[in-house]
Amino acid sequence: MFTTRPTLQGTFGMVSSTHWLASASAMSVLERGGNAYDAAVAAAFVLHVVEPHLNGPAGEVPALIAPAGGAVRVLCGQGPAPGGASIAHYTALGLTEVPGTGPLAAAVPGAFDAWMLLLRDFGTRPLAEVLEPAIGYAEHGHPPVKALGWAVGAVRELFETEWHSSAAVYLPGGRPPACGTLFRNPALAATWRRLIAEADAAGGDREARIDAARRTWREGFVAEALLRTAARPTLDSSGERHIATLSGEDLARCRARYEDPVTYRWRDWTLCKAGPWSQGPVLLQQLALLGELAPYQSPEYVHTLIEVSKLAMADREAWYGDAAEVPLDDLLSAEYNAGRRKLIGPTACPELRPGSPGGRAPRLPARARTAIGTAPPLPGWGEPTVAADGVTRGDTCHLDVVDRWGNMISATPSGGWLQSNPVVPELGFPLGTRLQMAWLEPGLPASLTPGRRPRTTLSPTLALRDGEPVLAFGTPGGDQQDQWQLHFFLAVALRPPVRGGLDLQGAIDAPNWHQSSFPGSFQPRLADPGAVTVESRAGDAVIGELRRRGHRVTVAGPWTEGRLCAVARDPDSGLLSAAANPRAMQGYATGR
């Protein structure tokens, strides 16, 4: 089939990410002898520079790693709610929801420590070397993508009237960053130079210096600057000024960590995801709900996937979170999903229908039963992801790397974007807003709880065949991530290979869609029952049949749904592959 680009193939190394400069930087690290984990860290810090409207060092990142010859692990870079972030504290302020922006929405930053832990334990290169590309782009400039200018333009008035430290960085000469210019962030470059200098001054071997950098982040000049900004009253999306609950003790205690993945076997594939503190198991539940499938991309096929997604996302609302035990064994069991599968009929169901795994009674947030409507595309409302009109306004980042030794990683960095909080003037980046995903209603799996991780939409994936890691993939997109990944994975698994390898680019390019019949994870947390957004390339036959079946279809532009990245490895031949999303003309794969 026709694709926008070839699926890249080679044997040395492959990278795919949501920005070409991050992909090229990662490849340069591989060329200098680094492994997949060195390359991933380099790419991640470049993404902080070139996609600051989509992620930042004080955000979060989950990653799936598959070291050559080792077990698949989850790297958790999602920081918890601060010790003072209780429901009582927020309700005493007159709030019924965590604001979508501002210091009150800040969880303990998790991304930086996660990348350092990965570099220390699985990388091989010095900290200064892997940060060199990011420092160069921040100090000397990079050509900004259009989306960066759009994002800054949307919050320009806020920056000019309230968030002056953000205006100082993102409105150079009083204007948003523009294509055809060079955009710089010298404060960020200075932060990394000082951190490297302090780590080197601490002495010791490579690992000891990385640990010194982690301490500087948690307890040194970085922590001090973060806390100063967090303590300033800041206008947020509630219309009021608030300060953060974040404390020095919170920063000092927070550590990234490794966990076992949640897995599910589908046919001859085993898929690995982060636990239900993320939405990752939604992908596994969707696969568990599938029975016999109609022909690929037929109207019946698309209808089935939409209805499967509705059931899995309803279970996410009722059961997922870090604040309670999640009955994953039951949610993924054959018996449970056989019963749930019977709910899928020939017509669309707009209702939110969580199940009762193991006989437990589901409990939905009150807001989930009342928040109905189409989310307005307002700046400052949480993650600026794909709106109901199908227009991608930006959201998150993703990167995948595989090297010649067989090391593989899939990571989805996000949070700490420029729209979230004022820039910390001494550092050049803001705090994040992930706490907005926690409910201010007690007794729910995703209730705001001090020390617990807010449930995140970030959802990278690793897939194995015969026990061998063969595929790493993921996408930005907030609540759409595991919907788009389901479509991608099935396109890979159900269609014939190309040139002896997986047809990654064909699966990425295939027409995509998403449904919105559940409460959004970001402010204003609205649901749009029965709504489905479909790329026009899906064709009149599919669109017409979906409407006949009762779906409320919005036909979006031909290239608007999904920002997938993927890399693959054939364990028998050693052949490596990569592909990247052509939508928005920003993501690129590279390799040889």
Side-chain angles (χ1 to χ4, degrees):
M1 66 169 289
F2 169 79
T3 59
T4 58
R5 309 164 183 177
T7 294
L8 304 184
Q9 293 185 323
T11 57
F12 179 80
M14 290 285 163
V15 181
S16 180
S17 86
T18 49
H19 197 288
W20 68 88
L21 291 178
S23 296
S25 298
M27 194 67 200
S28 74
V29 172
L30 293 178
E31 294 283 3
R32 284 182 283 174
N35 67 16
Y37 306 114
D38 299 311
V41 176
F45 279 82
V46 170
L47 288 173
H48 296 332
V49 178
V50 301
E51 292 192 322
H53 55 305
L54 308 181
N55 79 134
E60 45 276 328
V61 57
L64 273 292
I65 63 172
V72 174
R73 301 288 283 160
V74 174
L75 172 64
C76 174
Q78 173 58 66
S86 66
I87 291 175
H89 176 76
Y90 287 72
T91 55
L93 296 172
L95 297 169
T96 57
E97 294 182 341
V98 178
T101 62
L104 271 181
V108 184
F112 177 84
D113 195 63
W115 290 121
M116 292 300 100
L117 185 65
L118 178 70
L119 183 65
R120 186 196 72 182
D121 293 347
F122 292 96
T124 64
R125 313 308 291 179
L127 177 60
E129 182 178 321
V130 297
L131 292 189
E132 178 185 348
I135 293 172
Y137 288 125
E139 191 166 64
H140 303 297
H142 62 91
V145 295
K146 284 185 179 180
L148 175 55
W150 293 339
V152 174
V155 290
R156 177 174 182 167
E157 182 178 355
L158 174 67
F159 284 8
E160 290 175 334
T161 59
E162 294 283 346
W163 295 8
H164 300 131
S165 59
S166 297
V169 174
Y170 290 108
L171 293 172
R175 295 181 299 275
C179 295
T181 64
L182 287 177
F183 176 71
R184 298 173 175 85
N185 188 342
L188 181 58
T191 295
W192 298 143
R193 288 194 184 282
R194 180 176 173 184
L195 184 137
I196 291 168
E198 293 195 8
D200 287 345
D205 59 12
R206 188 188 75 94
E207 290 78 9
R209 295 181 186 210
I210 293 171
D211 278 337
R214 297 172 72 197
R215 287 193 299 273
T216 296
W217 175 276
R218 293 194 304 262
E219 302 171 22
F221 79 93
V222 176
E224 292 166 359
L226 289 173
L227 293 170
R228 280 194 297 271
T229 293
R232 296 187 185 117
T234 299
L235 183 69
D236 60 35
S237 60
S238 72
E240 302 293 334
R241 288 178 173 80
H242 297 109
I243 64 173
T245 59
L246 186 67
S247 71
E249 183 179 0
D250 295 318
L251 288 171
R253 290 193 311 186
C254 185
R255 304 285 193 282
R257 63 181 188 258
Y258 303 108
E259 299 176 353
D260 292 331
V262 180
T263 63
Y264 183 77
R265 185 171 178 84
W266 186 79
R267 299 188 179 179
D268 58 347
W269 295 81
T270 299
L271 283 91
C272 304
K273 301 290 284 188
W277 53 268
S278 76
Q279 73 173 12
V282 162
L283 177 61
L284 310 183
Q285 281 198 250
Q286 290 174 112
L287 291 170
L289 283 162
L290 292 176
E292 291 297 318
L293 283 169
Y296 175 75
Q297 290 288 46
S298 66
E300 177 69 23
Y301 174 91
V302 177
H303 167 76
T304 299
L305 265 61
I306 291 169
E307 295 303 300
V308 157
S309 170
K310 290 177 184 178
L311 293 174
M313 295 301 275
D315 275 348
R316 184 196 75 167
E317 288 309 302
W319 299 108
Y320 288 22
D322 198 33
E325 292 296 321
V326 180
L328 268 182
D329 288 344
D330 288 322
L331 288 168
L332 294 173
S333 70
E335 179 183 11
Y336 176 74
N337 286 285
R340 296 281 279 162
R341 196 176 302 124
K342 294 176 183 177
L343 298 175
I344 301 173
T347 58
C349 179
E351 299 173 10
L352 193 66
R353 299 180 292 175
S356 300
R360 303 168 183 85
R363 182 181 173 190
L364 292 170
R367 174 75 170 165
R369 299 189 294 271
T370 59
I372 306 300
T374 301
L378 299 176
W381 283 108
E383 184 179 42
T385 185
V386 178
D389 60 6
V391 176
T392 302
R393 296 182 174 87
D395 43 79
T396 290
C397 306
H398 186 80
L399 64 92
D400 300 303
V401 188
V402 60
D403 64 27
R404 62 191 185 274
W405 300 288
N407 299 301
M408 188 177 286
I409 180 171
S410 177
T412 309
S414 187
W417 45 72
L418 64 86
Q419 310 94 317
S420 62
N421 262 300
V423 165
V424 180
E426 305 94 322
L427 303 178
F429 60 83
L431 286 164
T433 55
R434 193 60 58 172
L435 285 192
Q436 67 176 285
M437 306 181 79
W439 295 104
L440 296 184
E441 181 180 342
L444 302 171
S447 295
L448 180 65
T449 308
R452 296 287 186 174
R453 293 166 290 188
R455 191 189 69 208
T456 179
T457 53
L458 307 177
S459 190
T461 308
L462 272 172
L464 290 69
R465 296 182 82 169
D466 300 321
E468 290 283 345
V470 297
L471 178 62
F473 61 96
T475 178
D479 294 308
Q480 286 85 38
Q481 288 183 31
D482 285 297
Q483 298 185 59
W484 290 336
Q485 288 186 71
L486 175 68
H487 316 156
F488 165 81
F489 172 71
L490 291 176
V492 169
L494 297 176
R495 298 195 306 181
V498 292
R499 299 197 309 275
L502 301 175
D503 185 12
L504 302 182
Q505 194 64 53
I508 288 173
D509 287 357
N512 220 322
W513 58 88
H514 77 270
Q515 61 88 15
S516 307
S517 293
F518 55 90
S521 294
F522 299 90
Q523 290 285 356
R525 309 202 76 162
L526 299 178
D528 197 3
V532 178
T533 302
V534 183
E535 286 183 335
S536 60
R537 292 182 300 120
D540 292 342
V542 169
I543 292 167
E545 180 62 14
L546 290 177
R547 285 174 169 157
R548 191 190 70 78
R549 289 170 179 258
H551 298 280
R552 294 194 302 103
V553 178
T554 295
V555 180
W559 297 94
T560 52
E561 289 283 309
R563 289 180 63 205
L564 283 141
C565 301
V567 300
R569 178 178 183 268
D570 183 333
D572 296 325
S573 66
L575 183 68
L576 310 179
S577 306
N581 172 55
R583 298 163 178 89
M585 297 183 291
Q586 192 171 313
Y588 272 87
T590 184
R592 68 173 178 87

